[in-house]
Amino acid sequence: MNAQITRLPILVLEPHGRCNCRCLMCDIWKSTGAAEITGVELERHLEDIARLGVEWIVFTGGEPLMHSDFFRLCRLLRGSSVRLTLLSSGLLLTRYAREIIEHVNDVIVSLDGPREVHDQIRGVPRAFDMVAVGVEVIHRLLPEFSITARCTVQAANAAHLRATVASARQLGLGSISFLAADLTSSAFNRATPWPSDRQNSLLPDLPTLEGEMQALMEAYPCDGFILESPAKLRRIVSHFRAYARLDPQIAPRCNAPWISAVIENTLDVRPCFFQPAIGNLAGRSLLEVLNSPSAIRFRNELNVENNPICRRCVCSLYRTGS
């Protein structure tokens, strides 16, 4: 793969670093910083975003809707054919329903289980019901607006995967995807990786997870509602088995550092959520950071198969023809 980036199909933006949930598997909500990507800062990079042929911009967090002027960021980017996706806890969908429909293309809400399980994991009373009302309000305004779900698998919901799928259907969501909880990295506002006792608290009971995943796959729908293939669902089990040293650590097939980038609210630029930053946008253009000597050296030296961060990674982003 070419270490010089001339096209960047996917760009992930973290507008700010705060969240309105208290999730068991994340430390983002502990952030008290006020740093955020301003409209003025984003405007500086619009030319590079166009030049790089960015096709899909994903707003992540924290909760992007807590940004002081989130929809201005959207307006700056909607002048092109770029798809704008909002990753959201869903707690503010009702408040911003009309603006969401106007300014973004689709929403992916976090769904951690059926009602009681979801609320326990999110650490917010009635979190599930707030998501349900928000989805209903948006679909009442625009029935065809796409809202899908993402579930992070961990100890508290490993026995409830089928119930989570059923809940997503009941909420009127278009699909659901599953991702293993990240136990070991320094991503998601962790100053350092978690100590072993915190990691182990999120490790699912493996027989329970294996049985539930097998049952889910045996009832696997043919309508595409679950986005992962059975092979990718089995990889979630293998990920946790590898953490428990029962299976080897095998990196996913991934070319994220060559076809995407993550811009954090501090203006640090990462090649993905998990690898260290390759530069900072303060006083520099996006193209300058992506193709700086240190960034090119990183991509030249990165061997996904053998890299210890990649081998423990819960994600997989692979795109051909880029």
Side-chain angles (χ1 to χ4, degrees):
M1 283 178 280
N2 190 352
Q4 187 88 12
I5 287 184
T6 57
R7 290 192 63 79
L8 193 79
I10 301 169
L11 182 62
V12 180
L13 296 181
E14 179 191 85
H16 67 99
R18 293 170 294 135
C19 191
N20 50 10
C21 286
R22 302 290 183 267
C23 297
L24 299 175
M25 62 286 187
C26 177
D27 281 351
I28 292 176
W29 58 272
K30 296 179 180 180
S31 172
T32 57
E36 61 180 26
I37 298 174
T38 66
V40 171
E41 179 64 34
L42 181 59
E43 277 186 294
R44 285 207 308 116
H45 305 291
L46 293 180
E47 187 176 329
D48 279 357
I49 289 171
R51 188 179 303 167
L52 287 162
V54 173
E55 302 167 18
W56 185 20
I57 292 177
V58 180
F59 291 105
T60 187
E63 171 53 66
L65 291 173
M66 292 174 66
H67 185 278
S68 64
D69 200 1
F70 173 68
F71 294 106
R72 181 186 177 196
L73 304 185
C74 297
R75 286 192 295 272
L76 289 170
L77 295 162
R78 279 305 293 269
S80 62
S81 58
V82 176
R83 170 188 169 191
L84 300 184
T85 294
L86 167 65
L87 303 187
S88 175
S89 67
L91 303 187
L92 296 173
L93 294 184
T94 300
R95 182 184 301 178
Y96 295 111
R98 292 186 182 277
E99 291 93 337
I100 288 169
I101 290 170
E102 180 180 357
H103 294 295
V104 305
N105 296 96
D106 59 286
V107 173
I108 302 173
V109 295
S110 298
L111 185 68
D112 294 308
R115 179 177 281 102
E116 295 79 8
V117 175
H118 180 82
D119 290 357
Q120 174 204 350
I121 291 173
R122 291 274 132 184
V124 176
R126 298 188 63 254
F128 184 95
D129 291 338
M130 285 189 272
V131 173
V133 171
V135 172
E136 181 183 358
V137 169
I138 288 176
H139 281 162
R140 192 161 58 236
L141 293 170
L142 188 64
E144 65 270 25
F145 187 84
S146 174
I147 312 176
T148 60
R150 176 172 294 164
C151 175
T152 301
V153 179
Q154 44 116 329
N157 61 11
H160 307 283
L161 304 184
R162 287 171 293 170
T164 305
V165 173
S167 294
R169 289 187 183 275
Q170 290 164 6
L171 289 171
L173 301 174
S175 65
I176 187 169
S177 64
F178 289 95
L179 185 71
D182 168 50
L183 306 183
T184 60
S185 83
S186 58
F188 310 116
N189 197 40
R190 303 169 194 169
T192 59
W194 282 332
S196 58
D197 58 341
R198 176 78 187 277
Q199 295 179 21
N200 292 336
S201 71
L202 292 172
L203 176 67
D205 176 74
L206 292 175
T208 298
L209 174 61
E210 290 165 1
E212 181 67 12
M213 192 66 81
Q214 183 61 37
L216 178 64
M217 289 189 292
E218 287 174 359
Y220 196 82
C222 299
D223 57 1
F225 189 77
I226 298 175
L227 295 184
E228 284 74 29
S229 66
K232 286 195 172 183
L233 292 176
R234 281 191 289 269
R235 190 179 182 279
I236 293 174
V237 177
S238 295
H239 169 80
F240 289 119
R241 285 180 57 84
Y243 173 83
R245 300 185 180 180
L246 299 173
D247 281 353
Q249 291 178 336
I250 300 175
R253 189 185 189 200
C254 180
N255 62 355
W258 292 270
I259 56 98
S260 69
V262 179
I263 301 178
E264 297 182 327
N265 66 308
T266 59
L267 302 183
D268 277 348
V269 179
R270 290 178 182 255
C272 69
F273 281 110
F274 304 99
Q275 292 287 351
I278 54 174
N280 187 280
L281 292 175
R284 304 172 76 192
S285 73
L286 180 57
L287 269 168
E288 284 175 328
V289 170
L290 290 175
N291 291 315
S292 67
S294 59
I296 289 174
R297 182 168 59 252
F298 166 79
R299 290 189 292 270
N300 274 330
E301 294 176 356
L302 179 62
N303 183 319
V304 171
E305 246 181 75
N306 299 325
N307 183 272
I309 292 175
C310 295
R311 290 177 64 189
R312 294 193 301 266
C313 191
V314 298
C315 262
S316 175
L317 175 61
Y318 189 84
R319 178 171 171 144
T320 59
S322 299

